[in-house]
């Protein structure tokens, strides 16, 4: 997703001189093409994320559309006060980009786990939260948020995510994307965890389960229409995210379901409200937290057997 994001940013910046990209002294290998081709639209703010965010807010209030870029929790939790007070409160066109959502930087320990960011960012009034699942969604999301008014959080994977979509027609902030139709069970996911769901589908099919599958590249505003349809027509909705189950994507779906008549039960899959003390790569930490494809399939089948 990183390379796709930068490639798309170059296209956008060349067509719009008001686009600015600020890095917190990270990502030089992938950002090099941007600063070479758009040198007057690039700033290195140094290892000073709070200052980076306030600079971005100031530029936005002068008419620029500013993307801030860093890894893991650094562009969000480290500078939350500046995002809240300087960007969101003023409805500034600041687009906060995290590379490495979830356990991407798992080998560096919990300080680099971005596992509470969706909950925290979606709690800020007026802030949109966008979590693409593959490089096609990442490209379309980057284009969309550049034209979306106000403050936006863009949560990316790192790289190597498998393609889900050949193309996306009419991508919109706030709309889910159908991967496949199905019966009885609907699986909703946000972010790069979709690759585990993809690998769980053959196991479910062997057990007679053919779920409807949607990716939700936008957690806020969320697609109420899709959630309502499946909550009223299906037996089970499953949400999956590489994030704490408290306050994140699953909670956003639960909030919609709590306010409408529903037929479906809800199974939220994510990190079970704990810090992960294990150290390892992303795949290892997904298995450790029962977010790998095998565990996802087992948990869905067990839930259906309970009913």
């Amino acid at each position: 997703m990183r390379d796709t994001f930068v490639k798309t940013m170059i296209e956008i910046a060349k067509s719009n001189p008001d686009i600015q990209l600020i890095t917190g002294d990270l990502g030089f290998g992938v950002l090099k093409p941007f600063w070479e081709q758009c040198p007057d639209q690039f700033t290195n703010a140094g290892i000073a994320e709070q200052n980076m965010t306030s600079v971005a807010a100031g530029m936005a209030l002068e008419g620029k559309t500013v993307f801030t870029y860093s890894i893991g929790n650094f562009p969000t939790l480290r500078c939350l006060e500046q995002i809240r007070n300087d960007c969101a409160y003023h409805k500034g066109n600041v687009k906060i980009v995290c590379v490495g959502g979830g356990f991407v930087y798992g080998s560096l320990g919990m300080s680099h786990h971005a596992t509470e960011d969706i909950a925290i960012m979606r709690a800020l009034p007026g802030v949109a939260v966008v979590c693409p699942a593959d490089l096609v969604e990442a490209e379309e999301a980057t284009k969309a948020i550049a034209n979306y008014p106000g403050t936006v959080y863009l949560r990316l994977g790192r790289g190597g995510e498998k393609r889900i979509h050949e193309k996306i027609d009419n991508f919109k902030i706030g709309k889910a994307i159908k991967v496949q139709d199905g019966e009885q069970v609907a699986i909703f996911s946000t972010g790069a965890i979709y690759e585990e769901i993809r690998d769980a589908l053959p196991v479910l099919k062997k057990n007679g389960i053919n779920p409807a599958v949607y990716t939700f590249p936008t957690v806020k505003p969320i697609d109420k229409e899709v959630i309502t349809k499946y909550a009223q027509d299906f037996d089970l909705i499953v949400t999956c995210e590489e994030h704490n189950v408290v306050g994140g994507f699953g909670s956003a779906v639960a909030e919609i379901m709590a306010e409408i008549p529903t037929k479906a039960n809800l199974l939220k899959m994510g990190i079970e409200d704990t810090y992960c003390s294990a150290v390892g790569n992303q795949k290892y930490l997904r298995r450790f937290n029962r977010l790998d494809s095998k565990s996802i399939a087992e948990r869905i089948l067990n839930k259906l057997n309970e009913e």
Side-chain angles (χ1 to χ4, degrees):
M1 288 189 200
R2 293 178 305 176
D3 292 341
T4 298
F5 165 74
V6 174
K7 179 182 176 182
T8 307
M9 281 294 299
I10 291 170
E11 295 173 5
I12 294 170
K14 284 183 174 180
S15 65
N16 182 357
D18 286 332
I19 294 288
Q20 294 284 328
L21 175 62
I22 309 178
T23 180
D25 208 39
L26 285 167
F28 295 117
V30 71
L31 294 178
K32 184 179 179 183
F34 185 94
W35 85 60
E36 288 180 339
Q37 297 182 55
C38 307
D40 295 333
Q41 294 167 265
F42 178 82
T43 304
N44 177 12
I47 305 174
E49 289 83 357
Q50 295 95 332
N51 185 55
M52 173 180 73
T53 305
S54 292
V55 168
M59 296 171 98
L61 293 176
E62 290 298 318
K64 305 296 183 181
T65 297
V66 190
F67 287 72
T68 62
Y69 178 102
S70 191
I71 67 169
N73 290 321
F74 300 159
T76 53
L77 273 62
R78 181 169 287 183
C79 45
L80 180 60
E81 184 176 357
Q82 286 73 26
I83 294 170
R84 177 181 184 268
N85 296 353
D86 299 346
C87 302
Y89 179 72
H90 296 285
K91 300 180 174 64
N93 278 324
V94 178
K95 320 304 176 183
I96 300 142
V97 181
C98 154
V99 175
F103 292 126
V104 167
Y105 290 99
S107 60
L108 299 177
M110 65 79 60
S111 63
H112 285 61
H113 297 172
T115 52
E116 307 98 346
D117 51 318
I118 295 174
I120 291 167
M121 296 303 291
R122 82 178 187 93
L124 298 176
V127 175
V129 177
V130 181
C131 309
D134 75 341
L135 57 89
V136 182
E137 289 187 13
E139 178 180 357
E140 295 297 330
T142 303
K143 293 176 181 177
I145 69 173
N147 295 306
Y148 190 84
T151 305
V152 180
Y153 176 45
L154 177 62
R155 186 194 209 234
L156 301 175
R158 186 176 185 182
E161 292 84 5
K162 300 292 177 60
R163 180 188 289 267
I164 303 168
H165 318 283
E166 286 305 313
K167 65 175 183 175
I168 301 173
D169 295 320
N170 199 27
F171 181 97
K172 290 183 179 178
I173 299 293
K175 298 300 293 182
I177 301 171
K178 181 167 68 176
V179 178
Q180 68 177 43
D181 289 313
E183 305 86 32
Q184 186 186 8
V185 177
I187 303 177
F188 300 157
S189 71
T190 194
I193 196 67
Y194 173 80
E195 63 188 17
E196 301 293 346
I197 293 168
R198 177 202 61 215
D199 293 342
L201 292 177
V203 179
L204 295 173
K205 187 174 182 179
K206 285 182 181 178
N207 286 272
I209 306 300
N210 180 38
V213 179
Y214 280 77
T215 63
F216 279 69
T218 312
V219 176
K220 180 188 175 184
I222 200 162
D223 194 331
K224 296 181 182 180
E225 183 179 349
V226 166
I227 296 168
T228 300
K229 169 181 167 57
Y230 287 94
Q232 294 178 341
D233 295 345
F234 277 40
D235 296 327
L236 178 65
I237 287 178
V238 179
T239 63
C240 193
E241 60 195 303
E242 198 167 331
H243 183 275
N244 194 339
V245 291
V246 176
F249 171 60
S251 293
V253 173
E255 289 164 12
I256 303 302
M257 293 177 65
E259 295 181 349
I260 60 172
T262 63
K263 174 186 176 184
N265 289 321
L266 176 64
L267 172 61
K268 296 194 300 179
M269 286 195 278
I271 302 159
E272 296 295 333
D273 196 27
T274 184
Y275 291 113
C276 182
S277 59
V279 174
N281 64 25
Q282 186 176 30
K283 281 287 189 181
Y284 171 78
L285 293 180
R286 284 176 178 174
R287 290 194 301 272
F288 186 87
N289 288 274
R290 299 180 66 217
L291 287 172
D292 60 301
S293 60
K294 179 182 177 182
S295 297
I296 288 169
E298 288 176 350
R299 292 170 72 179
I300 292 172
L301 293 171
N302 288 342
K303 182 67 176 180
L304 290 171
N305 289 333
E306 290 173 5
E307 298 174 3

